[in-house]
Amino acid sequence: MKTTGKIEEAVMPFKIQQLAEIIMERKKVGFTDALHYLYSSDFYPELLPEDTKWWYESGDALYEIIEEEKAAQQSLLKERKTTLFHIFCIEGYKNFSRQAAETILTIFTTEKVFDFLNDHFDVLHTQDKTYIMEVIDDFLKNKRT
């Protein structure tokens, strides 16, 4: 399958320049970083094929598409980090409290420990294991009193 025609090849450098300038302005980054941001997107290869005709769109519209993609990637990454942190806490609290993982999962679910961990993720995930287990233990003790 032919990816680009002569018109697209002629227009593409101008579209890339326009997008790079928009990225530089909105992200407050330099030219090289702007190009990396664009070229590392999953959307960039979609600009090239003749049948998509994305190069007809304005630079602002294309920038918004790239931003949506990057936001979705960030959301997925945060979700994965949160999931890993939840598992870390289950396993750690299992050992801390000397209870079965299934029991800890039930406690974390019924006592809304996952909500607590989500609400305090930014601070807690940077702390050491002992501190995190003590915070969870204090949270549970306070819920039961």
Side-chain angles (χ1 to χ4, degrees), residues 15-41 44 47 63 66-67 70:
K15 278 295 174 185
I16 299 300
Q17 177 188 11
Q18 185 182 35
L19 275 168
E21 289 172 354
I22 291 169
I23 293 167
M24 288 167 49
E25 178 186 323
R26 295 191 186 170
K27 295 289 185 188
K28 307 287 188 231
V29 297
F31 179 69
T32 304
D33 290 335
L35 287 179
H36 177 71
Y37 190 81
L38 171 61
Y39 289 144
S40 68
S41 72
Y44 170 72
L47 284 171
Y63 174 79
I66 293 169
E67 281 302 287
K70 297 284 186 173

Side-chain angles (χ1 to χ4, degrees), residues 86-87 90 105 108-109 112-119:
H86 288 177
I87 294 167
I90 291 169
L105 177 59
F108 277 30
T109 303
K112 301 196 183 311
V113 175
F114 293 126
D115 293 341
F116 174 79
L117 294 173
N118 288 340
D119 292 344

Side-chain angles (χ1 to χ4, degrees), residues 82 85-86 89-90 93 103-121 124 132-133 135-141 143-144:
T82 304
F85 183 62
H86 288 177
C89 290
I90 291 169
Y93 200 73
T103 303
I104 299 304
L105 177 59
T106 301
I107 292 169
F108 277 30
T109 303
T110 58
E111 299 297 327
K112 301 196 183 311
V113 175
F114 293 126
D115 293 341
F116 174 79
L117 294 173
N118 288 340
D119 292 344
H120 299 89
F121 176 79
L124 283 177
I132 295 168
M133 297 309 114
V135 166
I136 292 170
D137 199 49
D138 287 344
F139 174 78
L140 288 169
K141 285 177 183 173
K143 294 251 329 171
R144 292 176 181 148

